[in-house]
Amino acid sequence: MNTARLEAFSDGVLAIVITIMVLELKIPHGAELSAIVPLLPVFLSYILSFVYVGIYWNNHHHLLTFGTRATAREMWANMHLLFWLSLVPFATGWVGESHGSAMPAACYGFVLLMAAIAYKILQIQIISSSGRRDELRAALGRDVKGLVSPVIYLVAIGLAFVMPMISYALYALVALMWIVPDRRLERVVGEKRAA
Protein backbone atom coordinates (compact mmCIF):
# COMPACT_ATOMS: atom_id res chain seq x y z
CA MET A 1 0.00 0.00 0.00
CA ASN A 2 1.16 3.52 -0.75
CA THR A 3 1.98 5.53 2.39
CA ALA A 4 -0.14 8.39 1.03
CA ARG A 5 -3.18 6.12 1.30
CA LEU A 6 -2.21 5.11 4.84
CA GLU A 7 -1.79 8.77 5.77
CA ALA A 8 -5.15 9.70 4.23
CA PHE A 9 -6.92 6.95 6.19
CA SER A 10 -5.19 8.06 9.40
CA ASP A 11 -6.13 11.69 8.73
CA GLY A 12 -9.77 10.63 8.39
CA VAL A 13 -9.72 8.69 11.66
CA LEU A 14 -8.13 11.62 13.52
CA ALA A 15 -10.68 14.03 12.03
CA ILE A 16 -13.45 11.78 13.37
CA VAL A 17 -11.75 11.65 16.80
CA ILE A 18 -11.73 15.45 16.97
CA THR A 19 -15.34 15.60 15.75
CA ILE A 20 -16.48 13.20 18.46
CA MET A 21 -14.67 15.25 21.10
CA VAL A 22 -16.19 18.55 19.98
CA LEU A 23 -19.67 17.04 19.89
CA GLU A 24 -19.27 16.26 23.60
CA LEU A 25 -19.02 19.98 24.41
CA LYS A 26 -22.31 21.19 25.86
CA ILE A 27 -23.82 24.61 25.37
CA PRO A 28 -24.07 26.70 28.58
CA HIS A 29 -27.56 27.03 30.08
CA GLY A 30 -27.79 30.76 30.52
CA ALA A 31 -26.52 33.96 28.96
CA GLU A 32 -24.23 34.99 31.82
CA LEU A 33 -20.51 34.33 31.92
CA SER A 34 -21.08 32.34 35.11
CA ALA A 35 -23.00 29.74 33.05
CA ILE A 36 -19.66 28.63 31.54
CA VAL A 37 -18.03 27.85 34.90
CA PRO A 38 -19.60 24.37 35.35
CA LEU A 39 -18.45 23.49 31.82
CA LEU A 40 -14.81 24.50 32.32
CA PRO A 41 -13.53 20.98 33.21
CA VAL A 42 -15.05 19.57 30.01
CA PHE A 43 -13.68 22.43 27.93
CA LEU A 44 -10.19 22.21 29.44
CA SER A 45 -10.02 18.44 28.91
CA TYR A 46 -11.12 19.02 25.31
CA ILE A 47 -8.33 21.58 24.75
CA LEU A 48 -5.67 19.22 26.14
CA SER A 49 -6.94 16.30 24.07
CA PHE A 50 -7.22 18.42 20.93
CA VAL A 51 -3.57 19.44 21.37
CA TYR A 52 -2.56 15.78 21.79
CA VAL A 53 -4.42 14.66 18.67
CA GLY A 54 -2.84 17.57 16.78
CA ILE A 55 0.63 16.55 17.97
CA TYR A 56 0.11 12.96 16.82
CA TRP A 57 -1.33 14.11 13.49
CA ASN A 58 1.65 16.40 12.86
CA ASN A 59 4.38 13.95 13.85
CA HIS A 60 2.61 11.05 12.11
CA HIS A 61 2.68 13.06 8.88
CA HIS A 62 6.42 13.73 9.19
CA LEU A 63 7.15 10.10 10.05
CA LEU A 64 5.27 8.73 7.04
CA THR A 65 7.24 10.91 4.63
CA PHE A 66 10.17 8.50 5.12
CA GLY A 67 8.44 5.71 3.27
CA THR A 68 6.79 5.23 -0.09
CA ARG A 69 5.20 1.83 0.43
CA ALA A 70 3.65 0.65 3.68
CA THR A 71 4.38 -2.89 4.76
CA ALA A 72 1.80 -5.06 6.50
CA ARG A 73 3.65 -4.52 9.78
CA GLU A 74 3.49 -0.76 9.32
CA MET A 75 -0.22 -0.91 8.54
CA TRP A 76 -0.93 -2.95 11.70
CA ALA A 77 1.32 -0.72 13.79
CA ASN A 78 -0.58 2.27 12.40
CA MET A 79 -3.93 0.63 13.26
CA HIS A 80 -2.62 -0.01 16.77
CA LEU A 81 -1.83 3.70 17.14
CA LEU A 82 -5.24 4.70 15.74
CA PHE A 83 -6.96 2.33 18.18
CA TRP A 84 -5.47 4.12 21.18
CA LEU A 85 -6.09 7.55 19.69
CA SER A 86 -9.72 6.58 19.04
CA LEU A 87 -10.11 6.14 22.82
CA VAL A 88 -9.09 9.75 23.48
CA PRO A 89 -12.72 11.03 23.21
CA PHE A 90 -13.87 8.47 25.79
CA ALA A 91 -11.08 9.37 28.22
CA THR A 92 -11.59 13.09 27.56
CA GLY A 93 -15.31 12.87 28.28
CA TRP A 94 -14.77 10.90 31.46
CA VAL A 95 -12.17 13.40 32.69
CA GLY A 96 -14.45 16.34 31.90
CA GLU A 97 -17.39 14.84 33.75
CA SER A 98 -15.48 13.50 36.76
CA HIS A 99 -14.40 16.79 38.35
CA GLY A 100 -10.91 15.67 39.37
CA SER A 101 -11.54 12.04 40.33
CA ALA A 102 -8.64 9.59 40.44
CA MET A 103 -9.76 6.80 38.09
CA PRO A 104 -10.58 9.03 35.09
CA ALA A 105 -7.24 10.84 35.53
CA ALA A 106 -5.41 7.49 35.55
CA CYS A 107 -7.44 6.20 32.58
CA TYR A 108 -6.59 9.34 30.59
CA GLY A 109 -2.90 8.80 31.33
CA PHE A 110 -3.14 5.13 30.39
CA VAL A 111 -4.60 6.01 26.98
CA LEU A 112 -1.82 8.57 26.45
CA LEU A 113 0.81 6.04 27.54
CA MET A 114 -0.49 3.38 25.19
CA ALA A 115 -0.67 5.86 22.29
CA ALA A 116 2.97 6.81 22.96
CA ILE A 117 4.00 3.14 22.96
CA ALA A 118 2.01 2.52 19.77
CA TYR A 119 3.69 5.50 18.09
CA LYS A 120 7.11 4.13 19.07
CA ILE A 121 6.18 0.74 17.60
CA LEU A 122 5.13 2.45 14.35
CA GLN A 123 8.42 4.36 14.34
CA ILE A 124 10.37 1.11 14.73
CA GLN A 125 8.42 -0.54 11.91
CA ILE A 126 9.03 2.38 9.56
CA ILE A 127 12.73 2.46 10.42
CA SER A 128 13.05 -1.28 9.76
CA SER A 129 11.49 -1.11 6.29
CA SER A 130 12.42 2.36 5.08
CA GLY A 131 14.90 2.80 2.27
CA ARG A 132 15.91 5.91 4.19
CA ARG A 133 16.57 3.93 7.40
CA ASP A 134 19.87 5.63 8.28
CA GLU A 135 18.47 9.06 7.51
CA LEU A 136 15.45 8.45 9.76
CA ARG A 137 17.60 7.03 12.58
CA ALA A 138 19.87 10.07 12.38
CA ALA A 139 16.88 12.43 12.38
CA LEU A 140 15.39 10.79 15.46
CA GLY A 141 18.71 10.74 17.28
CA ARG A 142 18.43 9.67 20.91
CA ASP A 143 14.71 10.59 20.92
CA VAL A 144 14.84 11.99 24.45
CA LYS A 145 11.26 13.32 24.31
CA GLY A 146 10.04 9.95 23.08
CA LEU A 147 11.73 8.19 25.99
CA VAL A 148 10.85 10.72 28.71
CA SER A 149 7.15 11.04 27.81
CA PRO A 150 6.12 7.47 28.81
CA VAL A 151 8.00 7.84 32.10
CA ILE A 152 6.07 11.04 32.87
CA TYR A 153 2.81 9.28 31.96
CA LEU A 154 3.62 6.43 34.36
CA VAL A 155 4.39 8.88 37.17
CA ALA A 156 1.20 10.82 36.40
CA ILE A 157 -0.91 7.63 36.42
CA GLY A 158 0.45 6.77 39.87
CA LEU A 159 -0.10 10.31 41.14
CA ALA A 160 -3.69 10.25 39.85
CA PHE A 161 -4.62 8.19 42.91
CA VAL A 162 -3.02 10.74 45.24
CA MET A 163 -3.49 14.13 43.54
CA PRO A 164 -5.29 13.96 40.17
CA MET A 165 -4.62 17.64 39.43
CA ILE A 166 -0.87 17.00 39.44
CA SER A 167 -1.49 14.23 36.89
CA TYR A 168 -3.25 16.69 34.60
CA ALA A 169 -0.39 19.15 35.02
CA LEU A 170 2.06 16.41 33.98
CA TYR A 171 -0.06 15.51 30.95
CA ALA A 172 -0.05 19.19 29.98
CA LEU A 173 3.74 19.29 30.49
CA VAL A 174 4.24 16.44 28.01
CA ALA A 175 1.95 18.18 25.52
CA LEU A 176 4.04 21.35 25.89
CA MET A 177 7.18 19.31 25.19
CA TRP A 178 5.67 18.09 21.91
CA ILE A 179 3.59 21.10 20.83
CA VAL A 180 6.25 22.16 18.34
CA PRO A 181 6.42 19.60 15.50
CA ASP A 182 9.36 17.26 15.73
CA ARG A 183 12.03 19.51 14.22
CA ARG A 184 14.42 16.62 13.73
CA LEU A 185 12.10 15.02 11.21
CA GLU A 186 10.95 18.37 9.85
CA ARG A 187 14.54 19.33 9.04
CA VAL A 188 15.25 16.10 7.12
CA VAL A 189 11.93 16.30 5.27
CA GLY A 190 12.73 19.92 4.31
CA GLU A 191 16.17 18.91 3.03
CA LYS A 192 14.58 16.13 0.95
CA ARG A 193 12.17 18.59 -0.68
CA ALA A 194 14.95 21.09 -1.36
CA ALA A 195 17.11 18.44 -3.10
Side-chain angles (χ1 to χ4, degrees):
M1 176 191 293
N2 187 310
T3 56
R5 189 165 175 223
L6 184 66
E7 187 174 2
F9 174 76
S10 301
D11 288 350
V13 171
L14 295 179
I16 291 168
V17 166
I18 288 173
T19 302
I20 291 168
M21 287 189 317
V22 79
L23 290 174
E24 289 295 315
L25 295 178
K26 305 296 182 228
I27 297 170
H29 297 290
E32 310 80 38
L33 194 56
S34 61
I36 295 175
V37 173
L39 303 175
L40 278 178
V42 175
F43 188 65
L44 293 174
S45 65
Y46 168 78
I47 290 171
L48 183 60
S49 295
F50 184 91
V51 168
Y52 266 108
V53 172
I55 289 166
Y56 275 103
W57 176 77
N58 220 318
N59 288 323
H60 183 268
H61 165 72
H62 287 113
L63 186 62
L64 288 182
T65 60
F66 282 88
T68 53
R69 310 247 347 126
T71 66
R73 286 182 179 176
E74 288 172 15
M75 289 188 287
W76 281 112
N78 193 67
M79 289 301 289
H80 181 227
L81 172 62
L82 294 177
F83 170 77
W84 290 106
L85 292 177
S86 73
L87 292 177
V88 169
F90 166 77
T92 302
W94 197 14
V95 164
E97 295 292 326
S98 71
H99 304 289
S101 298
M103 191 54 75
C107 175
Y108 190 80
F110 181 74
V111 169
L112 294 177
L113 173 65
M114 294 310 293
I117 291 169
Y119 184 81
K120 187 65 173 176
I121 291 169
L122 177 60
Q123 225 177 34
I124 290 166
Q125 291 306 317
I126 290 174
I127 288 171
S128 71
S129 65
S130 174
R132 300 172 62 199
R133 178 179 301 124
D134 296 334
E135 201 176 354
L136 179 54
R137 270 198 200 110
L140 291 171
R142 294 183 319 191
D143 194 21
V144 174
K145 288 194 298 187
L147 297 172
V148 169
S149 299
V151 173
I152 295 174
Y153 293 143
L154 284 169
V155 169
I157 291 167
L159 285 173
F161 297 101
V162 181
M163 295 188 76
M165 293 317 233
I166 292 177
S167 293
Y168 296 129
L170 290 173
Y171 302 145
L173 173 67
V174 174
L176 286 173
M177 286 174 20
W178 286 98
I179 196 96
V180 174
D182 202 329
R183 294 196 187 274
R184 302 164 299 172
L185 296 177
E186 208 171 51
R187 184 180 61 251
V188 174
V189 169
E191 290 169 2
K192 176 187 171 190
R193 287 184 185 142

